[in-house]
């Protein structure tokens, strides 16, 4: 009695609520592998926090050695450690490389289960409005893939539509699958 269950899947719905307000990744297509590479601006954004944190830790060491103000050194050092740790945690997602490998016939993004390339049936582009309470709202775009088993997996998520559209077209050609545009007009 395994009757199929019918349900409506809204493909225009985004998978991720948030998204960066800068170009975070670009697609690199080689002969047998397509992968996402973080942009220099994304890495520099994270690196600034690491450098500032390291500077504050160094400053705390200097204060402790030269002025013997233990409370100020602990405060500055603790603040530096927090900022340094924040920068490292920001960088972690950028260092995990998502790839489509024709040699192994697998997609691997280091988060979800691996997907056989033959199971990818299409790519889709969605848009969303990221609303901030204390800042300006902005548009963001997603590139998702759909599998023949009904899974949708996010591949890219940033606010540069021209680059995302270019990367989506190149990836669709690499995988030889259709690309669907589910962007909708969003009113603020």
């Amino acid at each position: 009695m395994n009757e199929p269950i019918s349900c409506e899947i809204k493909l225009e719905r985004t998978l991720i609520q948030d998204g960066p307000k800068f170009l975070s990744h670009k697609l690199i297509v080689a002969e047998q592998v397509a992968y996402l590479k973080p942009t220099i601006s994304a890495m520099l954004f994270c690196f600034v926090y690491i450098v500032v944190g390291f500077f504050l830790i160094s400053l705390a060491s200097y204060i402790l050695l030269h002025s013997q103000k233990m409370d100020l050194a602990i405060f500055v050092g603790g603040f530096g450690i927090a900022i340094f740790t924040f920068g490292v945690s920001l960088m972690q997602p950028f260092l995990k490389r998502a790839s489509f490998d024709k040699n192994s016939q697998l997609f691997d993004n280091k988060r979800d289960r691996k997907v056989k390339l033959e199971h990818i049936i299409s790519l889709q582009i969605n848009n969303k409005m990221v609303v901030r309470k204390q800042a300006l709202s902005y548009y963001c775009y997603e590139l998702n893939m759909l599998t023949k088993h009904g899974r949708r997996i996010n591949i890219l998520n940033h606010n540069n539509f021209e680059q995302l559209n270019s990367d989506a077209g190149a990836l669709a050609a690499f995988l030889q699958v259709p690309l669907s545009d589910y962007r909708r007009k969003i009113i603020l």
Side-chain angles (χ1 to χ4, degrees), residues 3-184:
E3 292 183 29
I5 299 171
S6 100
C7 62
E8 184 179 341
I9 298 173
K10 296 188 178 198
L11 294 177
E12 66 276 357
R13 186 181 61 83
T14 58
L15 292 178
I16 299 175
Q17 195 95 39
D18 209 355
K21 193 176 178 176
F22 54 87
L23 176 61
S24 60
H25 290 81
K26 286 186 177 182
L27 180 76
I28 307 296
V29 179
E31 288 183 31
Q32 295 295 309
V33 179
Y35 61 92
L36 299 174
K37 179 181 177 186
T39 61
I40 292 173
S41 60
M43 297 305 286
L44 285 176
F45 176 76
C46 301
F47 194 65
V48 165
Y49 285 99
I50 293 171
V51 169
V52 169
F54 184 74
F55 171 76
L56 290 174
I57 293 168
S58 300
L59 180 62
S61 300
Y62 179 81
I63 291 169
L64 184 61
L65 292 174
H66 293 310
S67 69
Q68 302 296 319
K69 294 182 179 180
M70 179 76 85
D71 54 347
L72 180 60
I74 289 173
F75 175 77
V76 172
F79 196 63
I81 289 170
I83 290 175
F84 181 85
T85 304
F86 179 69
V88 170
S89 68
L90 274 178
M91 193 174 279
Q92 293 296 323
F94 292 115
L95 297 178
K96 293 180 180 175
R97 181 180 281 184
S99 65
F100 298 83
D101 190 341
K102 286 187 176 180
N103 295 321
S104 66
Q105 289 295 308
L106 292 173
F107 163 75
D108 185 11
N109 67 355
K110 311 291 191 258
R111 285 188 313 259
D112 302 300
R113 289 188 328 243
K114 294 179 181 179
V115 176
K116 292 181 181 178
L117 296 186
E118 65 192 43
H119 291 176
I120 300 170
I121 58 172
S122 70
L123 300 176
Q124 68 174 153
I125 296 174
N126 294 36
N127 66 330
K128 58 191 168 192
M129 180 61 69
V130 176
V131 179
R132 301 281 189 218
K133 290 181 181 176
Q134 272 79 34
L136 295 175
S137 300
Y138 58 91
Y139 283 107
C140 197
Y141 304 92
E142 285 184 3
L143 175 62
N144 300 319
M145 73 175 184
L146 289 92
T147 69
K148 72 178 187 180
H149 300 295
R151 289 176 61 201
R152 280 195 323 157
I153 299 172
N154 180 260
I155 299 169
L156 264 174
N157 184 35
H158 58 68
N159 85 327
N160 186 318
F161 177 72
E162 290 77 20
Q163 185 65 50
L164 187 123
N165 192 40
S166 172
D167 289 344
L171 185 58
F174 177 79
L175 296 171
Q176 299 177 340
V177 297
L179 173 62
S180 302
D181 190 346
Y182 286 101
R183 288 178 298 146
R184 63 196 185 285

